[in-house]
Amino acid sequence: MADTEAARLTNQPHETRARLRALAMDLSWSWREVRRRPFQMLDIRAWEATRHSPLGTLAATDDDRLKSLAAGAAFMGALDAAEADAGAMPAPHPFIAGQSVAYYCSEYALHESLAQYAGGLGVLAGDHLKQASDLGMPLCAVGLLYGHGYYRQELDEVGRTRVGLPHIDRATLPIQPTGVVIACPIGRRQVHAQVWRMRVGRINLYLLDADLARNRPEDRELTLGLYRGDPLLRLRQQVLLGVGGAMALHALGERPTVHHLNEGHAAFASIELLRRAREANPEGTCDEWLDSVRAQVVFTTHTPVPAGHDRYQHADVLRELGPTTRAAGLTAKALASLGREHSGNAEEPFCMTVLALRTCRACNGVAALHGEVSREMWKDIEWGNQPPVAISSITNGVHVPTWCDPVASAFWRDQCRIDTAANTVAGQGWDRAEQVDRAALWSLRSMLRSRLVQFVRERCSKSALSRGEGAAGALRASQLLRDDALTIGFARRFATYKRAPLIFHDVDRLAAILTSADRPVQIIFAGKAHPRDLGGQAYAQRVFEMTRDPRLEGRVALLEDYDMEIGRLLTSGADLWLNNPIRPMEASGTSGMKPPLAGGMNLSILDGWWPEGFDGRNGWAPSPAPEGADADATDAHDANELYRLLESEIVPMFWDRTGGGLPTEWLDRSAHSAATVPPRFGTVRMLAEYSRVYGILGE
Ligand SMILES: *Cc1c(COP(=O)(O)O)cnc(C)c1O
């Protein structure tokens, strides 16, 4: 009686709100389900409408609702459990005292409610931070806060991309002002940027925001969106990221011993560090200052695609970066030679990757094959009197607590004592997946697949309605796909080298595979092309058209507006994950590391991480196209290989139910995939390797 009375008296909605707000401000809810649960209980519709935003959902919940929830044991229990979890961080891994890392990246994919990413680079950066938090690594990160994020993709009635640029309300973002405003020299102007802090568990992510009234209108645009605008805007954006990022960290009192440039976008940070080296040692020489910069910088390169390496006119770089260049004691010629492979070649534009290579002490590609390709790509750099930088490789990984679906996590825990939340170097015990009960694994697969099919139907019905296809269109979408068909997933950026429509190379042959009466197969696609990539948009349109092709009988679906939520549902629901880039253009790829966490398998070209991951029994790999084949011949070869594997091995194996109604051989492979991929392609292994390069790990 007294307890209820006390509860009633303390049931003040503002108190509950304050507790929820405190929880929402630490992004560890994005990978620890127990911390999300109270928000889901607030208002499930608002939760869905805000793309699972805790602050957005809280804002949509009124005091009466909070009061009535707080009177119930279920909600208060969930809130208490979430808070208890927030206090229960694992002990940090021992790192060398006094050493710390600053991580620079142009995008961070932390959660679908924060649209600050375009694709794999952002996902990798987000996963890096989450893993650094789990390990208690001394690391902070810096980036830009984009006013409208990347973009929202809608496909019109013929499948053309419509670019939506919604303004993101800062009040619904889990960010706090730091009180620091920097003035970054760009051209002749001082561009001001307010620095926000986002808490990613134990890690601080600092985000620069130039949308301030005191800036000129064109400077306010610098943090409007990701990878938008003309080259000049992009160049200025990169000055803000690199120079401004380094300035912001310094102003905040961060004194990192290592600056990690994740991709060349932030390479101008090196020039700001050079300026500082000169300031600290005015009597020194430029070579000495450069050596001291190199001692602090490490660089990860991310793409073998030439267009992926930013190149600018020298005059533009010199103008926009002028004040920092001069303060760093660099002549125009010296700056130019830092951005050129051959310092004497006046024809060569200024390349951000070359700048990063010339100003770092260590560089890595993101898979073994990508390391090889990168060494070849940059082998002609003239190093002059500087020792050449070796390019090694550190293969990417995924943050298991983020990408392992809660249903799958519970399954592995109950079945095999695999602890996906215990995300430390001690390991999670994935080798035990090999012994998993096959019937139970099949139930898990069936459940995750049905859930995905349901999700696709709902999403596609909504899209049909908003496209103006009326009730008939929505009805058609609601009948797409089947619960039991072998489900193939393909989702990633629709960059052309990833060849989203390759599987439609021979539509009739594919139709025979998909529409078999007793062994049906279906494919679900999702992906955005860059707003300026018309080739990629044409690929999206081609996939869209295939969803309407009568020969394929509704066995192909395309989800609009690919994001992390779709990524999670698709990688856990798909039985088979398809990846068919033009080899060797895929630096690593990470999406294929996700399905094995839920018992799915890969069918992938031997590119990126897959040559390291594939062991002959944990998925499939087409034989490589002949060396030197042209683009058309390569497409034909690769498509033919995909059909051959599907027809002769994959589909028959999935549909062989002679073993007591179960696809026994399929499930053996699936268990083997779970036992072999996650332990090697998680961010735990990846950060252990980076820690060695950073020099923050004792031997
Ligand atoms: C995992 C993931 C990626 C990476 O895809 P790849 O092309 O295979 O590297 C991109 N976007 C999202 C949303 C993801 O979840």
Side-chain angles (χ1 to χ4, degrees):
M1 190 63 203
D3 274 4
T4 358
E5 183 64 12
R8 196 183 56 76
L9 286 174
T10 56
N11 182 2
Q12 296 292 340
H14 65 266
E15 251 174 55
T16 313
R17 198 176 287 280
R19 288 174 67 184
L20 286 163
R21 209 183 137 72
L23 263 181
M25 294 304 284
D26 174 349
L27 261 96
S28 34
W29 51 256
S30 67
W31 72 95
R32 298 189 68 89
E33 196 203 8
V34 63
R35 300 196 199 190
R36 291 195 288 274
R37 217 168 288 142
F39 299 100
Q40 288 166 326
M41 293 168 84
L42 286 180
D43 180 344
I44 194 69
R45 286 217 191 138
W47 178 251
E48 292 300 334
T50 59
R51 297 203 181 196
H52 315 144
S53 159
L55 283 179
T57 307
L58 187 57
T61 308
D62 64 20
D63 282 354
D64 287 344
R65 170 74 181 154
L66 274 186
K67 255 187 127 117
S68 80
L69 276 169
F75 178 77
M76 292 315 276
L79 184 52
D80 289 341
E83 286 173 345
D85 184 74
M89 284 279 189
H93 189 80
F95 292 100
I96 297 178
Q99 303 290 308
S100 66
V101 180
Y103 187 88
Y104 295 70
C105 192
S106 53
E107 55 171 304
Y108 292 92
L110 290 156
H111 187 256
E112 58 266 22
S113 61
L114 310 170
Q116 305 279 320
Y117 60 92
L121 179 71
V123 173
L124 182 79
D127 282 9
H128 197 110
L129 304 194
K130 290 169 179 176
Q131 187 63 57
S133 172
D134 286 345
L135 294 174
M137 185 180 263
L139 182 143
C140 66
V142 66
L144 304 180
L145 182 72
Y146 300 104
H148 58 58
Y150 186 41
Y151 80 95
R152 278 214 179 174
Q153 176 202 48
E154 278 179 42
L155 299 169
D156 73 5
E157 62 287 353
V158 293
R160 284 177 306 216
T161 295
R162 288 270 149 89
V163 175
L165 299 171
H167 174 75
I168 299 169
D169 180 5
R170 294 205 184 15
T172 64
L173 294 178
I175 51 176
Q176 289 167 314
T178 60
V180 169
V181 177
I182 56 145
C184 178
I186 303 181
R188 293 213 187 136
R189 305 173 313 282
Q190 300 284 325
V191 176
H192 293 89
Q194 176 177 5
V195 185
W196 298 87
R197 184 175 76 128
M198 195 179 272
R199 272 187 61 200
V200 184
R202 290 190 266 219
I203 301 299
N204 286 322
L205 166 59
Y206 299 108
L207 296 168
L208 275 53
D209 175 6
D211 188 11
L212 305 179
R214 62 202 289 190
N215 284 333
R216 298 194 320 179
E218 62 265 47
D219 292 333
R220 298 179 69 160
E221 280 188 35
L222 290 178
T223 53
L224 209 50
L226 196 49
Y227 310 137
R228 62 193 291 280
D230 54 29
L232 198 55
L233 181 78
R234 200 176 156 92
L235 169 62
R236 291 181 180 142
Q237 218 174 25
Q238 295 185 351
V239 176
L240 185 63
L241 175 65
V243 176
M247 291 176 74
L249 295 179
H250 199 76
L252 288 157
E254 298 282 356
R255 295 293 178 269
T257 51
V258 180
H259 294 258
H260 182 174
L261 309 178
N262 191 47
E263 190 49 304
H265 304 135
F268 290 137
S270 290
I271 307 297
E272 168 62 11
L273 296 177
L274 187 68
R275 187 196 64 72
R276 232 181 273 158
R278 183 188 187 207
E279 194 177 73
N281 174 20
E283 306 303 319
T285 65
C286 194
D287 280 343
E288 285 167 359
W289 302 325
L290 272 168
D291 282 345
S292 105
V293 172
R294 280 185 204 114
Q296 305 169 59
V297 175
V298 304
F299 168 46
T300 303
T301 180
H302 281 272
T303 179
V305 181
H309 299 268
D310 290 307
R311 291 183 166 85
Y312 298 115
Q313 296 301 320
H314 283 275
D316 291 340
V317 177
L318 193 59
R319 187 182 63 248
E320 300 303 328
L321 198 64
T324 310
T325 311
R326 285 188 292 278
L330 281 179
T331 61
K333 195 166 158 244
L335 177 69
S337 52
L338 285 176
R340 270 191 197 128
E341 292 182 56
H342 308 276
S343 50
N345 181 2
E347 306 288 294
E348 243 187 72
F350 188 98
C351 177
M352 296 298 279
T353 306
V354 176
L355 172 63
L357 282 165
R358 289 197 185 281
T359 57
C360 72
R361 68 168 156 85
C363 173
N364 69 282
V366 289
L369 176 61
H370 178 233
E372 266 173 51
V373 171
S374 301
R375 283 189 288 277
E376 179 64 25
M377 197 164 173
W378 304 109
K379 71 176 188 318
D380 290 336
I381 291 189
E382 276 172 11
W383 292 98
N385 54 3
Q386 167 191 356
V389 169
I391 303 177
S392 67
S393 65
I394 297 178
T395 304
N396 285 345
V398 293
H399 183 247
V400 171
T402 297
W403 295 105
C404 190
D405 188 277
V407 174
S409 278
F411 170 83
W412 295 119
R413 188 190 58 227
D414 298 346
Q415 292 288 327
C416 310
R417 293 175 293 109
I418 295 170
D419 185 358
T420 58
N423 193 32
T424 61
V425 275
Q428 298 165 327
W430 284 99
D431 51 319
R432 291 193 287 275
E434 206 87 63
Q435 273 85 51
V436 69
D437 178 74
R438 301 306 194 243
L441 179 58
W442 187 238
S443 308
L444 173 77
R445 292 293 329 134
S446 305
M447 182 265 152
L448 292 172
R449 186 190 318 109
S450 305
R451 188 184 67 176
L452 171 63
V453 166
Q454 192 54 37
F455 175 82
V456 172
R457 288 175 179 158
E458 283 166 18
R459 275 288 171 98
C460 289
S461 304
K462 269 195 207 143
S463 298
L465 285 176
S466 59
R467 211 178 278 135
E469 289 170 11
L475 182 68
R476 198 189 61 85
S478 72
Q479 292 163 344
L480 272 171
L481 310 180
R482 310 173 32 141
D483 278 352
D484 62 346
L486 166 58
T487 300
I488 303 177
F490 183 106
R492 43 182 63 83
R493 286 184 306 117
F494 275 9
T496 46
Y497 76 86
K498 293 176 187 262
R499 294 190 293 187
L502 182 70
I503 193 93
F504 304 113
H505 190 82
D506 178 345
V507 178
D508 292 319
R509 187 159 172 197
L510 179 66
I513 297 171
L514 300 191
T515 64
S516 149
D518 51 348
R519 303 192 305 193
V521 179
Q522 59 198 9
I523 318 182
I524 306 169
F525 286 88
K528 297 180 186 177
H530 186 275
R532 294 187 166 213
D533 178 6
L534 300 180
Q537 289 174 28
Y539 278 10
Q541 188 166 7
R542 166 93 173 136
V543 175
F544 179 92
E545 285 161 4
M546 288 295 111
T547 66
R548 310 290 163 108
D549 193 298
R551 288 171 290 180
L552 301 173
E553 295 177 11
R555 294 284 159 75
V556 179
L558 170 60
L559 291 163
E560 277 179 337
D561 205 28
Y562 180 43
D563 69 355
M564 288 178 77
E565 179 190 21
I566 294 178
R568 272 197 318 276
L569 286 164
L570 209 46
T571 52
S572 30
D575 301 294
L576 189 72
W577 195 251
L578 177 64
N579 182 38
N580 45 231
I582 301 172
R583 191 175 183 277
M585 303 290 226
E586 189 62 85
S588 166
T590 51
S591 60
M593 301 170 185
K594 300 165 189 170
L597 298 168
M601 282 184 276
N602 281 280
L603 164 58
S604 172
I605 300 272
L606 282 167
D607 196 11
W609 71 285
W610 191 229
E612 294 158 68
F614 180 54
D615 71 359
R617 291 190 301 125
N618 56 2
W620 289 270
S623 74
E627 288 282 327
D630 67 16
D632 287 345
T634 303
D635 284 357
H637 168 93
D638 289 347
N640 198 48
E641 275 291 289
L642 296 178
Y643 299 137
R644 184 185 63 79
L645 285 168
L646 285 166
E647 289 161 349
S648 67
E649 287 187 38
I650 297 172
V651 179
M653 193 186 292
F654 182 89
W655 280 107
D656 174 8
R657 302 297 158 83
T658 50
L662 295 177
T664 318
E665 202 183 341
W666 179 275
L667 291 168
D668 289 349
R669 272 194 179 238
S670 154
H672 184 60
S673 161
T676 51
V677 174
R680 290 179 53 211
F681 299 96
T683 38
V684 174
R685 189 266 315 144
M686 180 178 93
L687 280 215
E689 291 186 28
Y690 276 110
S691 298
R692 252 169 245 128
V693 172
Y694 294 157
I696 61 173
L697 199 68
E699 279 308 319

